[in-house]
């Protein structure tokens, strides 16, 4: 026996009728977006619910918001939350069931509750702030001191952002003629890459910390809705622990991001950041100029006092000079008289000492000279007795060789010429052997 089978379309149509009849109402549902994209004015979402303990999806469904509804609810959602819907966001949707025979089942979005998303965003933000305070880093930036002469500015921004151009132009054309050195570290300022892109830029600046006075993070000129990238724990920790003051001007006024809360200074716009730096340096310039004026005035007053003092001294110099001259002349006369007297005393004593020495020295010298004369006479007598002429006169002779007396025949050799000296004359001889 054969049973007639349904076609797939017939089966799906049957399911559609059942769902339409049993799920005819709309339902509010809380879910997390694992995907959200727009195409041709429609918004396509993937909803998930995660296990609270394991963070593993335990439910998953497709949802669609058609163009006519999306065009109405999207602007309101952005206005209230300051963000567009994106993956990872928790939402509360008003949906009704739809099963299409050709495309299958999906939930059709009729409305979105932005207050729920705001509450979830606020809870996440408060949790990040709580953790930053627990780590003791929440107020670290505000404990830093911005240099009074902050002119070297590291900027983190999109290279093509209008806000970056406004920032540079305002610094360049400031009314005080102050000079700033600005260096851009490009970063993605919207979308999923915001966090890591800014952290990478901070790392590059940190490697050259000594080259800069502060860091400015600006975003103006882009969409004001996508701010979730500035509300992350990792980025907040990097900013809070950064060694240089960080000024944020990411172009939104409705609420502060976590990045704003942990930065050294938060301003509303890039131009406000430029104005802050200009005013800071202008205040320093004013202090320097005031100090310069004070120094000039103090020097002028001191010069006037010294001039009057010199003039006063000048009027008393002749009288003072006369008094001093008289005193010095009297002092010199006294010294001169003392010197003469001292010299006379020394000369008198020297004469006395010399006379005493002469009285004792002359008899001693006379005696000494007499003794030495007797000694000389005795030496003369001895010298006469040793005169060779006395020996020659007794018949002796002296033999000389090369002018020296020969005392030993062994001193001579054959052929030597010798001289024999007598009392009367001398003769030369040649040694034979």
């Amino acid at each position: 026996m054969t049973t007639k089978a349904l076609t797939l379309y017939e089966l799906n149509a049957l399911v559609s009728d059942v769902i339409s009849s049993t799920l005819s109402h709309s339902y509010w549902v809380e879910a997390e977006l694992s995907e959200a994209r727009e195409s041709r004015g429609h918004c396509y979402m993937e909803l998930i619910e995660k296990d609270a303990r394991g963070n593993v999806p335990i439910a998953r469904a497709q949802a669609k918001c058609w163009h006519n509804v999306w065009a109405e609810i999207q602007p309101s959602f952005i206005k209230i939350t300051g963000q567009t819907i994106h993956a990872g966001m928790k939402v509360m949707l008003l949906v009704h069931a739809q099963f299409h025979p050709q495309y299958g089942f999906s939930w059709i979005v009729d409305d979105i509750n932005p207050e729920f998303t705001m509450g979830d965003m606020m809870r996440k933000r408060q949790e990040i702030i709580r953790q930053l305070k627990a780590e003791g880093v929440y107020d670290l930036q505000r404990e830093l001191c911005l240099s009074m002469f902050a002119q070297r500015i590291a900027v983190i921004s999109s290279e093509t952002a209008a806000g970056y151009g406004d920032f540079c132009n305002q610094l360049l054309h400031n009314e005080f003629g102050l000079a700033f050195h600005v260096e851009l570290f490009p970063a993605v300022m919207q979308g999923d890459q915001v966090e890591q892109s800014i952290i990478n830029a901070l790392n590059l600046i940190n490697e050259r910390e000594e080259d800069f006075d502060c860091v400015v993070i600006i975003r103006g000129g882009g969409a004001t809705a996508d701010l979730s990238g500035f509300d992350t724990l990792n980025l907040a920790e990097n900013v809070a622990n950064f060694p240089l003051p960080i000024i944020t001007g990411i172009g939104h006024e409705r609420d502060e991001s976590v990045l704003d809360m942990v930065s050294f200074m938060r301003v509303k716009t890039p131009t406000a950041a430029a104005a802050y730096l200009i005013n800071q340096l202008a205040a320093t310039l004013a202090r320097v100029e005031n100090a310069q004026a004070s120094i000039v005035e103090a020097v002028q007053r001191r010069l006037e006092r010294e001039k009057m003092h010199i003039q006063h001294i000048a009027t008393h110099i002749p009288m003072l000079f006369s008094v001093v001259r008289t005193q010095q002349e009297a002092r010199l006369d006294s010294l001169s008289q003392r010197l003469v007297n001292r010299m006379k005393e020394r000369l008198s004593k020297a004469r006395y000492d010399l006379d005493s020495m002469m009285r004792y020295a002359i008899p001693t010298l006379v005696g000494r000279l007499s003794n030495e004369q007797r000694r000389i006479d005795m030496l003369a007598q001895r010298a006469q007795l040793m005169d060779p002429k006395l020996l020659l006169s007794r018949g002796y002779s002296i033999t000389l060789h090369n002018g020296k007396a020969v005392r030993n025949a062994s001193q001579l050799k054959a052929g030597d010429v010798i001289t024999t000296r007598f009392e009367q004359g001398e003769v030369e001889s040649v040694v034979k052997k």
Side-chain angles (χ1 to χ4, degrees), residues 83-353:
Q83 299 190 42
T84 58
I85 63 170
H86 55 268
M89 177 181 284
K90 287 188 177 181
V91 292
M92 179 184 286
L93 307 175
L94 181 64
V95 298
H96 66 270
Q98 183 184 73
F99 188 90
H100 193 281
Q102 183 178 357
Y103 302 109
F105 180 82
S106 63
W107 293 103
I108 305 302
V109 178
D110 299 321
D111 199 0
I112 301 178
N113 183 356
E115 283 77 13
F116 173 85
T117 302
M118 278 293 295
D120 182 67
M121 290 166 53
M122 186 60 66
R123 283 191 298 273
K124 288 182 179 179
R125 181 178 296 176
Q126 291 302 320
E127 176 58 26
I128 292 174
I129 293 172
R130 185 200 62 77
Q131 187 166 344
L132 292 172
K133 290 182 177 180
E135 294 172 1
V137 301
Y138 184 78
D139 293 313
L140 288 182
Q141 272 282 309
R142 283 179 286 278
E143 294 174 3
L144 298 178
C145 180
L146 181 63
S147 169
M148 294 173 58
F149 299 90
Q151 294 175 278
R152 304 170 302 164
I153 316 300
V155 178
I156 299 177
S157 176
S158 171
E159 191 170 6
T160 58
Y164 171 63
D166 295 340
F167 176 83
C168 292
N169 287 333
Q170 184 146 341
L171 289 183
L172 181 63
H173 301 103
N174 68 86
E175 60 180 309
F176 304 99
L178 302 171
F180 291 88
H181 169 71
V182 177
E183 184 170 345
L184 175 66
F185 291 81
V188 176
M189 302 305 287
Q190 60 184 30
D192 296 336
Q193 301 179 27
V194 169
E195 177 188 78
Q196 192 56 50
S197 182
I198 295 179
I199 291 174
N200 292 340
L202 288 173
N203 290 337
L204 292 176
I205 297 170
N206 190 48
E207 293 174 0
R208 298 170 51 195
E209 176 188 349
E210 297 299 325
D211 295 340
F212 303 102
D213 298 312
C214 67
V215 179
V216 176
I217 301 176
I218 52 180
R219 180 182 177 270
T224 59
D226 190 6
L227 300 174
S228 60
F230 300 97
D231 280 333
T232 67
L233 177 62
N234 193 18
L235 179 57
E237 289 175 334
N238 274 267
V239 170
N241 287 286
F242 203 73
L244 294 175
I246 295 180
I247 301 169
T248 58
I250 54 180
H252 62 102
E253 302 182 16
R254 198 194 62 80
D255 198 4
E256 284 185 314
S257 66
V258 175
L259 181 65
D260 291 321
M261 295 178 184
V262 298
S263 65
F264 173 81
M265 170 64 68
R266 181 249 179 171
V267 294
K268 295 180 179 180
T269 61
T271 53
Y276 174 78
L277 292 171
I278 293 169
N279 292 336
Q280 174 84 3
L281 193 56
T284 301
L285 176 62
R287 291 181 63 181
V288 171
E289 291 175 343
N290 290 337
Q292 180 182 3
S294 298
I295 292 172
V296 171
E297 184 179 353
V299 170
Q300 288 176 344
R301 288 198 303 268
R302 182 61 181 269
L303 288 174
E304 289 296 327
R305 288 199 303 268
E306 294 301 325
K307 183 178 179 181
M308 294 175 61
H309 183 60
I310 291 172
Q311 290 174 348
H312 177 73
I313 293 175
T315 58
H316 291 76
I317 283 178
M319 181 177 63
L320 292 173
F321 178 75
S322 177
V323 173
V324 171
R325 179 180 177 181
T326 301
Q327 292 174 345
Q328 293 301 319
E329 286 177 348
R331 184 171 178 272
L332 288 174
D333 290 341
S334 175
L335 291 174
S336 176
Q337 187 61 43
R338 289 170 60 187
L339 180 61
V340 169
N341 294 336
R342 184 66 61 86
M343 290 178 64
K344 287 179 178 180
E345 291 174 1
R346 293 294 295 273
L347 286 173
S348 177
K349 186 177 184 303
R351 287 194 190 99
Y352 176 80
D353 292 342

Side-chain angles (χ1 to χ4, degrees), residues 367-386:
R368 182 70 178 270
L369 288 173
S370 178
N371 292 335
E372 292 299 324
Q373 185 62 48
R374 285 195 298 272
R375 184 170 175 272
I376 290 171
D377 292 342
M378 291 176 62
L379 290 173
Q381 290 175 4
R382 290 179 184 177
Q384 288 176 357
L385 293 174
M386 296 178 66

